[in-house]
Amino acid sequence: KQEVTQIPAALSVPEGENLVLNCSFTDSAIYNLQWFRQDPGKGLTSLLLIQSSQREQTSGRLNASLDKSSGRSTLYIAASQPGDSATYLCALGPDSSYKLIFGSGTRLLVRP
Amino acid sequence: NAGVTQTPKFQVLKTGQSMTLQCAQDMNHNSMYWYRQDPGMGLRLIYYSASEGTTDKGEVPNGYNVSRLNKREFSLRLESAAPSQTSVYFCASGRGTTSSYNEQFFGPGTRLTVL
């Protein structure tokens, strides 16, 4: 059974620091991987989608990578800002069914 | 575009009552989803609809029913609410025409409490 893990559960960094969030999965046969952010009491906002044939995607200060052979994806945030404070979730599509399996998230706090 | 909208935002029910959660999307997406989010359990898929006219069970379908009314609307019904269904419910839609490019977009959620 596919499992998605995000470690650490919480992270606190000073403003301006570059940081990496981790997402690991147990089965390398995936269709895609998506990163989201969730602000307290709000819905999920899609950040990046990586298809299984891709190695990375970039959007502004965000860069997501995918290494299926090692069962790992990372989300790199450059020059972090207090507005980046949120919970970051990764989710993967395990097959052709359009479903997503979510990790439990990393709660990020960027201190001014 | 409003994206994915959900009604109501908040709801309190008594055990045994029924209700329908409404979801609509204006992005012309084919697939739609219902998730629940619980502390310590993460997001779990309840039901999904890969295209208009089809629905399938997700990870936690018991106690729920769904209707894909048309391409825009996907409703979730609780026939006899139980305290275990207290949760935050999210609707999502997916823009991919293939499963490998199915980026999902979420609504703001419905916070449901069952007493």
Side-chain angles (χ1 to χ4, degrees):
Chain A
K1 179 185 175 184
Q2 178 72 271
E3 293 183 0
V4 182
T5 304
Q6 292 184 252
I7 296 174
L11 182 63
S12 178
V13 301
E15 181 177 4
E17 188 164 300
N18 301 326
L19 61 100
V20 174
L21 304 179
N22 296 301
C23 173
S24 61
F25 45 93
T26 54
D27 188 338
S28 62
I30 67 171
Y31 272 63
N32 57 44
L33 190 141
Q34 194 169 351
W35 282 93
F36 298 88
R37 70 172 278 169
Q38 185 175 28
D39 294 284
K42 305 292 185 183
L44 280 68
T45 300
S46 177
L47 298 174
L48 290 163
L49 171 75
I50 308 176
Q51 298 179 62
S52 61
S53 59
Q54 298 174 324
R55 295 299 301 267
E56 66 176 349
Q57 283 285 339
T58 298
S59 177
R61 293 183 294 110
L62 306 179
N63 177 277
S65 68
L66 175 63
D67 184 346
K68 291 192 296 180
S69 62
S70 66
R72 189 164 178 245
S73 176
T74 61
L75 180 67
Y76 174 83
I77 302 177
S80 59
Q81 303 169 358
D84 295 329
S85 298
T87 296
Y88 289 80
L89 296 153
C90 70
L92 61 84
D95 51 37
S96 61
S97 67
Y98 293 85
K99 293 184 284 189
L100 285 179
I101 300 174
F102 280 82
S104 53
T106 293
R107 191 169 64 253
L108 174 66
L109 173 65
V110 181
R111 307 187 305 273
Chain B
N1 288 350
V4 180
T5 57
Q6 294 183 235
T7 55
K9 287 185 169 51
F10 301 92
Q11 184 71 48
V12 178
L13 294 177
K14 294 181 179 178
T15 297
Q17 288 185 316
S18 62
M19 78 162 296
T20 299
L21 281 63
Q22 306 287 353
C23 174
Q25 53 93 8
D26 62 0
M27 297 176 282
N28 200 35
H29 290 169
N30 287 321
S31 60
M32 297 186 73
Y33 309 80
W34 278 104
Y35 295 89
R36 60 179 288 174
Q37 186 175 36
D38 302 288
M41 300 295 291
L43 274 143
R44 293 178 292 170
L45 182 64
I46 304 172
Y47 270 94
Y48 70 103
S49 171
S51 61
E52 187 179 356
T54 68
T55 60
D56 286 285
K57 295 179 180 179
E59 184 182 357
V60 287
N62 290 346
Y64 305 96
N65 285 301
V66 291
S67 295
R68 183 74 183 267
L69 304 171
N70 47 55
K71 190 171 186 179
R72 291 186 64 248
E73 298 172 288
F74 189 38
S75 63
L76 178 72
R77 182 161 178 84
L78 287 69
E79 291 290 353
S80 178
S84 61
Q85 294 178 305
T86 293
S87 187
V88 181
Y89 291 86
F90 289 103
C91 178
S93 67
R95 72 174 174 182
T97 54
T98 66
S99 52
S100 65
Y101 185 60
N102 188 42
E103 187 175 9
Q104 291 191 22
F105 297 86
F106 280 69
T110 293
R111 282 148 185 78
L112 175 67
T113 301
V114 183
L115 302 175

